Amino acid sequence: VTVHTRRDQGTTFRLVVPLTLATFRGVLVRVADRLFVLPATNVERVARAARGEVQTVENRDTLVVDGRPIALVRLGDVLELKAAAARPPLDDPFVQIVVVGAAEKRMALVVDEILGEREVLVKPLGRQLPRVRNIMGATVLGNGRVAPLVNVPDLLKAAVNMAPPPAAGPAAAPVQSHSVLVVEDSITARMLMKNI
């Protein structure tokens, strides 16, 4: 901020804002108990679809939008949110969907709630998290909550590569998974372990 004052002429305030403080319009959605922001430039429409309109093609859910069938996936499944996957199906005959697109690809995402469109300030994730899958940044909402900003092109690739849900049949035994946290201050060792 610079201030220049000339007597009997007025005062000039000059504000210089770095490009890293870019704002843009985003659609705020809720999945389970988490909030996410979808860039409005990638959102074609938000709507409610009747569960009866959802069809299964090649063991994948599809929905007809503008006369064309498009894939229908749950945002929580693509983002691998365990809380969203554990929730029981709702009795509501409608589902909330957000139709997103990037380049020539389109997809309908099922979310729990659409909270509206708003202007948000993009914050980079920092050097510690240079590449987070499906996330391109974050924003701090007016109530102080942090909402990740979804990278729609990455999300579409991840959704296409997702394995289709298994066909209804006898319940399989649950598979236990374990996580390992590796802490290392050497960049070379980190990169080698990451590749392994």
Side-chain angles (χ1 to χ4, degrees):
V1 178
T2 58
V3 180
H4 296 288
T5 303
R6 291 185 181 172
R7 189 173 186 150
D8 297 329
Q9 291 185 1
T11 301
T12 303
F13 294 90
R14 185 168 180 243
L15 303 172
V16 179
V17 181
L19 288 176
T20 56
L21 295 178
T23 62
F24 73 98
R25 306 273 318 155
V27 176
L28 185 65
V29 298
R30 182 179 60 80
V31 177
D33 59 343
R34 301 187 184 184
L35 299 177
F36 295 93
V37 178
L38 297 165
T41 55
N42 295 112
V43 175
E44 294 183 14
R45 71 172 64 178
V46 295
R48 285 177 15 148
R51 290 186 187 270
E53 296 175 11
V54 178
Q55 302 172 357
T56 303
V57 176
E58 295 180 3
N59 206 24
R60 290 186 184 265
D61 289 337
T62 60
L63 187 67
V64 177
V65 177
D66 295 333
R68 290 175 33 197
I70 62 172
L72 178 72
V73 297
R74 296 184 180 279
L75 182 58
D77 292 345
V78 181
L79 296 176
E80 299 174 15
L81 299 178
K82 292 180 182 176
R87 295 185 68 177
L90 299 175
D91 294 332
D92 189 356
F94 294 95
V95 291
Q96 304 255 354
I97 64 164
V98 180
V99 179
V100 296
E104 296 298 317
K105 297 178 183 175
R106 295 173 71 209
M107 188 168 289
L109 303 172
V110 177
V111 297
D112 291 340
E113 188 177 5
I114 299 166
L115 300 170
E117 185 178 353
R118 59 187 65 188
E119 190 164 324
V120 294
L121 180 68
V122 182
K123 300 276 191 178
L125 295 177
R127 289 181 297 162
Q128 298 84 359
L129 301 170
R131 182 77 177 107
V132 177
R133 191 173 38 157
N134 302 325
I135 303 296
M136 61 190 267
T139 186
V140 180
L141 302 174
N143 59 6
R145 289 186 68 178
V146 175
L149 183 65
V150 177
N151 186 335
V152 173
D154 275 6
L155 189 76
L156 293 175
K157 288 179 192 172
V160 167
N161 295 331
M162 264 179 41
V175 177
Q176 289 186 343
S177 64
H178 301 282
S179 298
V180 177
L181 174 64
V182 178
V183 180
E184 175 61 51
D185 63 349
S186 165
I187 186 74
T188 306
R190 282 200 311 265
M191 294 307 290
L192 288 171
M193 288 181 208
K194 178 181 171 186
N195 292 334
I196 291 170

